[in-house]
Amino acid sequence: MSEASEGQVDTVMVEQRLFEPSEDFSRQARIKSMEDYQQLYDRAASDPEAFWAEQAREHLHWFTPFTQTLQWDNPLAKWFIGGTTNACYNCVDAHVAAGRGDQLAILWEGEPGDQRQLTYRQLQEEVSRFAGALKQLGTQPGDVVSIYMPMTPELAIAMLACARIGAVHSVIFAGFSAEAIADRNNDAGAKIQLTSDGLHRRGKVLPLKETVDQALAKSPTVEKCVVLRRVGNDAPMQSGRDHWWHELVDSVEADCPAEPMDSEAPLFILYTSGSTGKPKGIRHTTAGYNLYAKRTFQWVFDHRPDDVYWCTADCGWITGHSYIVYGPLAAGATVLMYEGAPNHPAEDRFWEIVEKYRVTILYTAPTAIRAFIKWGDEHVDGHDLSSLRLLGSVGEGINPEAWMWYHTKIGGGRCPIVDTWWQTETGGIMMSPLPGAIATKPGSCTKPLPGIRPRIVGEDGQNVPQGRGGMLCIDHPWPGMLRGIWGDEQRYQEQYWSKVPGMYLTGDNARQDSDGYYWIMGRIDDVINVSGHRLSTIEVESALVSHPAVAEAAVVGKPDEIKGQAIAAFVTLRTDPNEELRQGLKLHVRQEIGALAQPDDIRFTAALPKTRSGKIMRRLLRDIASGKEQTGDTSTLEDFSVLAKLRDDEE
Ligand code: WTA
């Protein structure tokens, strides 16, 4: 291993396993072979505008056709200029109009076990009615509607109803505090608030409306609040401001047609905390986003009409926006939604749901997969998972051993895994195997999707040599890309378009192997510099996770007088901790990937601190490892007790 130059990252991981798509899978797939993929990819790459124009004409409903495909005034992109469409129409009405109104759109299970089903026609009625209710409350096109609701069908209905009348939704995950809601409402200038009386979580009822009331006391722009009855408690209602959902929809006609919206009309804002703490409102618009979510869904999940597709994310995250609502519904899929926790009433809830609904496609996150591994195989055993044909992963890198477990234990060795790399900002999946075409390697997101041109560059903006890690950039606009940061266009320019001129900076590091496969190496800010060697966190973590005693691992750098940085590892175990194991793990990493990557410190912990969307908070761990007071924003921390525990360990 040589010393890395500026901006480059060393790789120490060797992963040789390769899984070809089965003949059965490929035969029935949309994209059947590597040649098919390459052909499609090359066609898109050679003339992206012509490619996307053709996709847009064929796959969206246009009230008025667009006259220009792309206007690119770096970093400002406009797609499908002059056209009008409606995301709700594309997701709902288009299917009814095409005679597919009886197809199931949403299959829903509440945490207590209650169930609902909505066909596309029923969805159209409900969405139309609620859109009418929003209008009756005075909602105008362009108004921001803040949504703080449990994972019920009404959450999707609320999003679609906004899209139907041109209102801009801002969904806030229903675990955030009143403070976090108020911050987001004020930043967005939200006019309407949607919530529910409460939600079910791990057998308890959380009083959402009370949290919202605290938030609204500090959200002066919000004029009206609509409350869905979900749990049936005595939610406090403020007269004049607050309305029950069921009373509103009863008072309006179910006839509120979808408004023709300009292609570039804002569709939603979604706040993401980013590495610098202050949440930023990522702004997505109508036509490009909707098209990108739909096509990537069809390509990556190889969707067929009889699939039962389950994405376990919450609609409070981009994954829920793009791959519960706007992608799958635009594709006419049957989408399963589940309200609650994966371990309620027991650790086998997901497998019970897969078995009950005969789920064919499951899309979940590495953090969940690692939890399942920790909980033990006995919760999976005994459930019939034979309906599954495809598995997906999103949100973080998946450690190869977790990938193998997912493949064998959940997928029965027969289901391809699509490890999908993307971001809130990208709107949809950017790199992923196409399951009928691209052979997979555990831990690699494999290849870019059609129309996406990734580059890996060093500090000088030049491509790094193949095999080396560097900054992952995208060198041509794509329809699903963010159009800006709400209220802060300068930050948009600075954060994404300044460091490497002319290219979108993802903020992740990546490398490409000799087969041209991409490997995400973690955030640029998380690189550990040991004696001049720049190591990526995921590689050391994956080496730790490959030890049978380890459930989950997070590594960070801490200051070291001699080496510059030393490696500190935080590890959760599948067994009881002991000193011998600590030494054993150091040795294991040394054997797996080399002496340089051997952790200097290994600390056992009951759980790792995570953001609410399940990502490990490495910044916080860095502060803890270096003994510094923690300085960054921790409003997204899931479990403060973990922090306390780690701190205690130190004393
Ligand atoms: C990380 C989630 C490795 C990455 C859709 C990215 C991943 C950030 C993967 C975006 C993956 C997401 N492999 N890393 N398959 N998917 N990431 O905005 O660091 O919540 O930049 O969007 O998650 O997170 P976000």
Side-chain angles (χ1 to χ4, degrees), residues 272 317-319 363 366 393-398 419-426 431 443 445 506-508 520-523 538 613 615:
T272 160
W317 315 118
I318 191 68
T319 305
Y363 190 28
S393 172
V394 60
E396 286 181 292
I398 179 166
D419 176 0
T420 63
W421 175 83
W422 60 296
Q423 308 177 299
T424 303
E425 292 87 340
T426 68
M431 293 204 258
C445 59
T506 67
D508 284 346
I520 304 294
M521 301 175 88
R523 304 291 298 166
I538 181 95
S613 64
K615 294 197 207 309

Side-chain angles (χ1 to χ4, degrees), residues 366-368 370-371 374 396 399 541 544-545 549-554 570-574 607-608 610 614 616:
T367 181
R370 294 186 305 248
K374 187 165 188 211
E396 286 181 292
N399 310 115
E541 288 160 6
L544 282 163
V545 172
V550 174
E552 202 164 33
F570 296 83
V571 172
T572 62
L573 294 174
R574 301 170 78 177
L608 293 170
K610 300 209 179 139
I616 295 167

Side-chain angles (χ1 to χ4, degrees), residues 627-645:
K628 245 191 278 166
E629 267 305 297
Q630 154 251 316
T631 49
D633 166 51
T634 58
S635 67
T636 50
L637 186 61
E638 165 131 75
D639 187 359
F640 284 98
S641 64
V642 172
L643 230 193
K645 235 184 228 148

Side-chain angles (χ1 to χ4, degrees), residues 507-528:
D508 284 346
N509 282 316
R511 74 183 162 91
Q512 219 182 348
D513 68 17
S514 53
D515 295 326
Y517 277 45
Y518 287 84
W519 299 75
I520 304 294
M521 301 175 88
R523 304 291 298 166
I524 291 173
D525 298 342
D526 293 336
V527 167
I528 306 175

Side-chain angles (χ1 to χ4, degrees), residues 354-366:
V354 168
E355 183 171 3
K356 177 151 93 189
Y357 295 92
R358 306 297 293 158
V359 171
T360 59
I361 305 173
L362 175 70
Y363 190 28
T364 193

Side-chain angles (χ1 to χ4, degrees), residues 306-422:
D306 56 353
D307 275 317
V308 176
Y309 162 83
W310 182 22
C311 166
T312 69
D314 191 284
C315 286
W317 315 118
I318 191 68
T319 305
H321 282 61
S322 303
Y323 298 110
I324 293 178
V325 180
Y326 292 109
L329 295 180
T334 298
V335 177
L336 176 74
M337 265 175 106
Y338 167 60
E339 178 185 40
N343 53 354
H344 186 82
E347 281 76 5
D348 67 343
R349 185 66 186 266
F350 272 23
W351 318 124
E352 190 190 284
I353 292 176
V354 168
E355 183 171 3
K356 177 151 93 189
Y357 295 92
R358 306 297 293 158
V359 171
T360 59
I361 305 173
L362 175 70
Y363 190 28
T364 193
T367 181
I369 295 166
R370 294 186 305 248
F372 299 136
I373 296 174
K374 187 165 188 211
W375 291 339
D377 289 5
E378 64 271 25
H379 301 291
V380 185
D381 295 336
H383 286 288
D384 175 8
L385 307 182
S386 61
S387 57
L388 289 170
R389 67 179 194 93
L390 178 63
L391 303 174
S393 172
V394 60
E396 286 181 292
I398 179 166
N399 310 115
E401 289 318 314
W403 194 104
M404 288 305 299
W405 183 89
Y406 197 28
H407 180 70
T408 44
K409 197 71 207 168
I410 305 304
R414 77 186 172 273
C415 305
I417 296 180
V418 289
D419 176 0
T420 63
W421 175 83
W422 60 296

